[in-house]
Amino acid sequence: MTPADLALAAKDGTVLTPAAEAPALSIRGMTVSYAEKPAIFSVDADFAAGAMTAIVGPNGAGKSTLLKAALGVIPRLSGEVSVFGTPLETARARVAYVPQRASVDWDFPTRVIDVVLMGLYRELGLLGRVRAAHRAKAEACLARVGMSDFAARQIGQLSGGQQQRVFLARALAQEADLYLLDEPFAGVDAATEAAIIEVLKTLKDQGKSVVAVHHDLATVTRYFDRVLLLNVRKIAAGPVAQAFTPQTLAATYGGRLASAQIDQLRLGDGAGLPTGAGPEAGAGPKA
Ligand SMILES: Nc1ncnc2c1ncn2[C@@H]1O[C@H](COP(=O)(O)OP(=O)(O)OP(=O)(O)O)[C@@H](O)[C@H]1O
Ligand SMILES: [Mg+2]
C-alpha cells in the first residue's frame, strides 16, 4: 500500500497526503559560494515526503551544490536545513546520498560487495565484524539492482552504468527514508535506466522519499511527481503539472531550449526532443 493509498480525504475534498506533513527535506534561505559569485542564492525548497522529486536546471545551475550543502558536505554561507521536520544532525541515518558519478574516485581498490557493505556502516559500527546477515543484506541489495554477478569485481573494473547501480545498491543497504541521487541516469543505457527507475518507484511505494537531479527533460513528467527548477535561484517548484511549464523552462534554461522543444516537452513524451536538450542540458554522459 502506498502513502497515496493511505491518504485521507478531508471534508472539503482536498487530499491530505504525507506531503502535508513535514517535508522529507526542507531548505530555507540557502546560499553557497565557492568564490565570490554564489553557486546558489537564497534558495527555499521543500521536498515532499513520499514523493519523487526531480531537480532540474542547466549545467552549473547549482544542483549538486544544493544537495551537498544540504547534507553539510560543503559549507554554506547561510541557510537552514531540516529532514522530516528535525535538524539534519538528528536525522542523518534517515538520508542516503548517491553522488554524481564524475565526483567519485573510481580507482580505489574495493570490491563491489564491500562498497555495498559500506551502506551498512551504521549497523556495523566502526570496527564491527561483517557477519553472514550483513553479507546477505548487501547481496540482496545487489540483486535489487541486477548486479549479483559482480559482487567480487573491483569497483573500478565496472562500466559507468554498472557503477551507478552499485552505488544505488549501497544507498538501498542504508535503509534510509530519504534518497538523494545526483544524476542517477547519467550515462546509463535504457535497460539500466528502466531498472533504476523501477527501484526508485518501489522505494516510493514503500513510502520513501526520492529526490534526483535529472537532466532528461523528456522524462520528467513520466518519472517524477514533483519538480524543482533551479538556476542559481529557485525558478519554480511544485507538482510537475503545475511547475514544469514552458514559462518556467524558458526561465530556467534561457535561450538554450527552443520554444518548439519546450512545447514538445509539455506533451509529456518528449517526442521530437533530441537527446540532450541543447548543448547545456544534455542527457548524455559528461566528460
Ligand atoms: N569545488 C568547486 N569550486 C569552485 N567552484 C565550484 C566547485 N564546485 C562547483 N563549482 C561551481 O559552482 C557552480 C555550480 O556547480 P554545480 O556542480 O552545483 O552545478 P550543477 O547544477 O550540479 O551542474 P551539472 O549539471 O554540470 O552537474 C558552477 O558554476 C561550478 O563551476
Ligand atoms: Mg551536478
Side-chain angles (χ1 to χ4, degrees):
M1 186 169 283
T2 69
D5 294 328
L6 292 168
L8 302 168
K11 286 202 183 96
D12 63 358
T14 55
V15 174
L16 301 172
T17 65
E21 301 163 8
L25 174 65
S26 181
I27 293 169
R28 285 287 166 277
M30 192 191 283
T31 296
V32 178
S33 198
Y34 294 101
E36 272 150 46
K37 208 169 131 241
I40 54 170
F41 184 73
S42 193
V43 171
D44 291 334
D46 284 332
F47 296 92
M52 281 180 64
T53 305
I55 301 177
V56 166
N59 290 145
K63 304 178 298 294
S64 298
T65 299
L66 183 79
L67 290 186
K68 285 188 272 190
L71 287 164
V73 176
I74 55 170
R76 47 188 188 254
L77 278 181
S78 66
E80 299 297 320
V81 176
S82 66
V83 173
F84 297 106
T86 66
L88 174 68
E89 293 68 40
T90 59
R92 237 171 229 292
R94 300 182 69 184
V95 186
Y97 168 57
V98 179
Q100 192 166 353
R101 229 175 71 207
S103 68
V104 180
D105 173 10
W106 297 108
D107 289 330
F108 61 86
T110 311
R111 293 175 314 157
V112 164
I113 190 73
D114 296 320
V115 172
V116 182
L117 281 165
M118 285 173 203
L120 294 169
Y121 67 98
R122 281 203 172 75
E123 255 176 68
L124 283 165
L126 207 52
L127 301 169
R129 277 192 31 221
V130 175
R131 295 172 200 283
H134 299 128
R135 195 165 296 276
K137 200 182 249 187
E139 282 167 0
C141 292
L142 275 180
R144 279 173 76 182
V145 300
M147 287 295 291
S148 296
D149 293 345
F150 297 85
R153 186 84 70 88
Q154 296 285 318
I155 186 79
Q157 294 168 2
L158 295 179
S159 76
Q162 291 166 341
Q163 289 170 341
Q164 200 77 338
R165 288 183 186 222
V166 171
F167 274 72
L168 180 57
R170 182 180 68 169
L172 293 174
Q174 266 180 265
E175 295 184 330
D177 295 311
L178 168 61
Y179 292 79
L180 304 177
L181 307 117
D182 199 342
E183 300 200 29
F185 306 116
V188 305
D189 65 17
T192 298
E193 178 161 331
I196 292 175
I197 198 73
E198 266 321 298
V199 170
L200 299 184
K201 288 197 162 159
T202 303
L203 289 173
K204 188 194 135 171
D205 289 345
Q206 292 167 346
K208 314 281 190 180
S209 313
V210 176
V211 175
V213 175
H214 190 60
H215 265 299
D216 183 6
L217 300 177
T219 52
V220 167
T221 308
R222 203 159 6 115
Y223 290 173
F224 295 94
D225 312 310
R226 304 175 65 88
V227 66
L228 165 69
L229 291 110
L230 185 75
N231 195 345
V232 183
R233 295 163 188 267
K234 177 174 76 176
I235 308 294
V240 169
Q242 285 152 35
F244 195 66
T245 68
Q247 290 75 22
T248 59
L249 281 166
T252 307
Y253 288 91
R256 293 182 191 133
L257 285 182
S259 58
Q261 291 174 325
I262 291 176
D263 287 345
Q264 278 160 347
L265 286 171
R266 289 289 295 156
L267 297 175
D269 59 4
L273 184 80
T275 310
E280 291 289 281
K286 286 188 292 184

